[in-house]
Amino acid sequence: MSWSQTIQTENLHDQMTILIGSAIRLLCGEAGVFVVSNEAFDPQSSHEYTLYRLNPAVLPLLLKSIEESGRRPNSTCILVRNKLSSKVVDLLCQDEDVKLQGAEQCSLFVYDNAGELGVLHYLRSPGVRSCFEQEEKVEGTLRLFVAQLAAGLRSTLKSQSLVKEQGRLAAIFHHSMEGILTVDSALRIIDFNPAMERLTGWHESEVLGRFYYEVLRPKDRQGNEVGLQGSPILQAFAGQSVVNREMMISARDGQRFDVSVTASCIRSNKGEPMNGILNVRDVTLEREQEEERSTFISVISHELQTPIAIIKGYASTLARTDALLDAEALHSRLVAIEEEADRLNKLVGNLLYASRIQAGGLQMELAPLDLSHLVQGVVRRLQAKSPDFTVTLDLLPNLPTVMADRDRIEEVLQNLLDNAIKYSPRQRNLTVACKATGDEVIVSVRDTGMGISLRDQEHIFNRFHRVGESIAHSMPGAGLGLYICRAIVEAHGGQIWVESTLHEGSTFSFSLPRVEKAYLPMVVF
Ligand code: ADP
């Protein structure tokens, strides 16, 4: 039976009620309750009861009254009788089904060779005696009856605790975040948990009974077929240990992804494999993080080394006593040192910025902002710094005010303009445009530079992503600028995107909500 099939506990409960009811009837009782002893089964669970024709509301009072009587049966004296208090009798007599004229309460100790199972408390009319109590040899007959009752109860209670255990395991199977798949000895799938369904896109009903190898089509990390003999469950069947083995499996749509699998085997008494269990963990994210870490190290070390080498080179020249530099040469070297120091400073600033974004602590100070004023200021400064670039301004008159953090938006614009200049080695024309839609204002920076391929456009806003061409042309950069721009714009409730054609140029645009549309307060990510 698959774990996904619901386990029926009701039948076992009915069985218990029938057993207790018959026993009470044979003892001439009208109603009663069997209280399972704690030690008998599950020591963690509180007492469990099986009621027979007894209103659950009466139970606490009845048990209290039994306890107060201080007379409890045990293995020496297996049956004790008590007179019930009139309060309990009154309550019991309100139940039309239970016909008691006054009531006597009996408690029968139920046990077997393995120990106590519990106590059967039952109620009957005073003076009534069961066949087990009418002769001298009462004890012997009653003990025989108890032995039979105990055998029936023990097996029902055992089944109940097995069903509970099975329920617990089924819950683990269903709610596990790891994919779990089990197979029979012929490697046909018999269980496929919801995490496995999410991972692979297969529904359990589609894979039950299918050969597991065909469903997962496992390959090694290099993409080579592992073959049936090398497949994890067969290796576990062969007695090999398969723990956290990295491989690739296929989803329903044919897409492959990295997983770490652990396989184990359940064997028969003779040691033959009966079932195989495969635990599957998706490690795509871990892989991406690993890749990101190694990119980070190589990008950062390269980006740090370059300016340091330049600064060191110029500084060494200046420090040489025999270097006879005229004022112009001296000035140009000092300017170069200053530029490289700025570059280092920017890199460290960006790294700190990125780590703050990742930690989720980027707070925006939003206020109404006149974008055309800000754009004109940034462009003016840029032209002063890079006079060989022509910047055309295309601003809509009466541009609506936006809700934004002035300094942060200035950083975004500055970054886009720096990139437009950096990645336009030959073309010297830029355009900055602002337009408004019903809900937002859109700012665009257009260059006629090297452009970005469609494939790269998908990734350039990710951390440390740099396009191969810019690396090949030794253009400085750490792949953090656009990541930071996106974080800032999205924190404003806006969007950033690129339209580009390779070798023709790019247009980077971002949108910001108009002041009347902005929702406040805007914070973090
Ligand atoms: P950085 O410029 O420091 O490398 P960015 O995050 O600003 O980092 O940019 C990521 C990558 O996107 C750059 O390395 C470059 O390859 C590409 N890119 C960004 N802006 C442009 C642009 N205007 N034209 C062409 N490529 C660009």
Side-chain angles (χ1 to χ4, degrees):
M1 185 182 75
S2 156
W3 285 110
S4 58
Q5 285 165 266
T6 338
I7 298 152
Q8 302 291 333
T9 49
E10 292 82 10
N11 292 347
L12 287 169
H13 186 73
D14 291 351
Q15 214 172 313
M16 192 75 180
T17 313
I18 292 169
L19 205 58
I20 296 301
S22 313
I24 291 176
R25 279 298 178 198
L26 282 168
L27 292 161
C28 294
E30 286 289 335
V33 57
F34 177 67
V35 182
V36 183
S37 144
N38 258 357
E39 298 83 53
F41 283 93
D42 191 349
Q44 283 118 35
S45 75
S46 57
H47 281 294
E48 285 184 20
Y49 308 98
T50 303
L51 294 166
Y52 173 66
R53 302 180 71 197
L54 197 68
N55 186 342
V58 185
L59 188 63
L61 198 63
L62 178 68
L63 292 178
K64 191 162 167 252
S65 132
I66 293 169
E67 199 164 322
E68 279 168 3
S69 76
R71 301 185 60 221
R72 208 182 177 279
N74 54 41
S75 57
T76 321
C77 174
I78 60 170
L79 180 69
V80 297
R81 301 185 192 102
N82 287 312
K83 231 181 133 19
L84 280 178
S85 74
S86 51
K87 197 172 159 196
V88 180
V89 175
D90 284 352
L91 257 174
L92 287 168
C93 290
Q94 283 171 15
D95 195 331
E96 284 177 8
D97 285 347
V98 183
K99 297 191 177 46
L100 289 169
Q101 284 87 43
E104 181 181 64
Q105 173 262 316
C106 304
S107 298
L108 182 67
F109 187 69
V110 184
Y111 68 104
D112 61 9
N113 290 344
E116 177 181 347
L117 269 102
V119 178
L120 178 66
H121 304 287
Y122 56 97
L123 307 163
R124 63 186 181 191
S125 301
V128 176
R129 290 289 175 270
S130 69
C131 59
F132 310 111
E133 297 160 80
Q134 283 164 0
E135 294 166 26
E136 283 307 302
K137 43 182 178 163
V138 164
E139 266 286 287
T141 332
L142 194 58
R143 279 188 193 269
L144 209 59
F145 171 74
V146 166
Q148 303 242 347
L149 177 61
L153 285 173
R154 173 116 9 227
S155 102
T156 313
L157 287 171
K158 187 95 202 146
S159 311
Q160 275 188 349
S161 80
L162 281 176
V163 167
K164 270 196 215 156
E165 185 68 17
Q166 206 176 354
R168 268 201 292 272
L169 291 176
I172 295 173
F173 176 80
H174 272 275
H175 300 297
S176 165
M177 293 303 286
E178 267 191 19
I180 306 173
L181 159 162
T182 67
V183 296
D184 61 14
S185 56
L187 301 174
R188 281 185 302 255
I189 297 175
I190 48 177
D191 296 300
F192 202 76
N193 77 341
M196 205 64 201
E197 293 183 333
R198 285 194 295 275
L199 265 178
T200 61
W202 288 105
H203 192 269
E204 186 184 41
S205 59
E206 297 172 306
V207 296
L208 287 186
R210 285 184 58 189
F211 191 36
Y212 102 101
Y213 184 81
E214 274 173 17
V215 173
L216 300 186
R217 285 171 284 151
K219 292 197 171 176
D220 64 17
R221 280 189 73 181
Q222 286 69 45
N224 308 314
E225 301 280 348
V226 294
L228 181 59
Q229 290 305 322
S231 77
I233 298 188
L234 214 66
Q235 287 191 324
F237 276 10
Q240 293 169 22
S241 147
V242 183
V243 179
N244 290 333
R245 180 172 154 195
E246 306 230 331
M247 52 181 7
M248 289 199 286
I249 59 171
S250 292
R252 192 176 193 271
D253 59 8
Q255 205 189 332
R256 303 202 153 271
F257 54 96
D258 292 318
V259 290
S260 162
V261 301
T262 297
S264 45
C265 169
I266 301 173
R267 295 180 187 278
S268 69
N269 291 343
K270 292 182 195 154
E272 286 154 2
M274 291 197 309
N275 294 112
I277 305 171
L278 191 72
N279 288 60
V280 181
R281 192 162 53 85
D282 186 358
V283 291
T284 316
L285 196 69
E286 285 167 38
R287 285 281 149 287
E288 280 171 10
Q289 284 172 344
E290 256 171 46
E291 231 164 76
E292 200 173 82
R293 263 197 297 277
S294 72
T295 317
F296 170 79
I297 292 170
S298 66
V299 166
I300 295 309
S301 40
H302 174 261
E303 281 305 296
L304 285 175
Q305 266 169 355
T306 315
I308 289 172
I310 297 173
I311 292 173
K312 171 128 179 65
Y314 284 130
S316 308
T317 321
L318 295 177
R320 271 173 45 195
T321 45
D322 58 342
L324 297 171
L325 297 172
D326 58 27
E328 197 184 328
L330 187 67
H331 180 253
S332 77
R333 280 162 180 73
L334 287 173
V335 167
I337 289 175
E338 193 190 7
E339 277 173 0
E340 293 308 312
D342 284 348
R343 184 173 153 190
L344 273 178
N345 200 22
K346 187 171 174 203
L347 176 67
V348 173
N350 276 351
L351 282 171
L352 287 175
Y353 218 147
S355 82
R356 253 164 64 208
I357 292 170
Q358 239 201 329
L362 198 59
Q363 188 94 25
M364 297 291 140
E365 284 178 23
L366 300 183
L369 174 69
D370 174 2
L371 267 179
S372 45
H373 190 248
L374 178 119
V375 169
Q376 282 165 10
V378 174
V379 168
R380 208 178 307 118
R381 282 200 300 280
L382 177 92
Q383 294 234 267
K385 208 173 112 199
S386 315
D388 46 341
F389 270 85
T390 316
V391 185
T392 311
L393 267 178
D394 179 6
L395 298 179
L396 186 88
N398 304 323
L399 203 64
T401 314
V402 294
M403 202 61 187
D405 182 321
R406 187 181 205 294
D407 292 348
R408 306 257 190 230
I409 295 304
E410 190 169 329
E411 281 171 43
V412 173
L413 190 60
Q414 190 63 57
N415 234 316
L416 296 183
L417 285 166
D418 285 349
N419 277 352
I421 291 176
K422 187 160 72 174
Y423 299 110
S424 304
R426 279 175 290 277
Q427 305 300 325
R428 314 255 117 189
N429 298 318
L430 307 180
T431 307
V432 181
C434 291
K435 63 177 183 186
T437 67
D439 291 340
E440 46 197 18
V441 175
I442 298 172
V443 183
S444 306
V445 176
R446 187 163 66 243
D447 65 60
T448 46
M450 53 205 286
I452 306 163
S453 72
L454 259 184
R455 197 162 51 86
D456 279 315
Q457 286 174 32
E458 273 180 45
H459 306 289
I460 49 170
F461 294 96
N462 295 344
R463 267 189 316 173
F464 307 122
H465 188 89
R466 304 206 67 219
V467 176
E469 204 152 328
S470 24
I471 301 169
H473 286 82
S474 307
M475 286 165 167
L480 282 173
L482 291 179
Y483 168 72
I484 292 172
C485 290
R486 186 183 62 179
I488 293 175
V489 171
E490 287 181 356
H492 281 83
Q495 280 182 311
I496 186 164
W497 65 95
V498 63
E499 292 146 285
S500 182
T501 309
L502 199 57
H503 309 307
E504 286 184 19
S506 314
T507 305
F508 281 85
S509 309
F510 65 92
S511 62
L512 290 172
R514 286 168 65 155
V515 82
E516 62 276 20
K517 305 283 175 184
Y519 39 97
L520 284 166
M522 274 303 306
V523 196
V524 295
F525 310 102

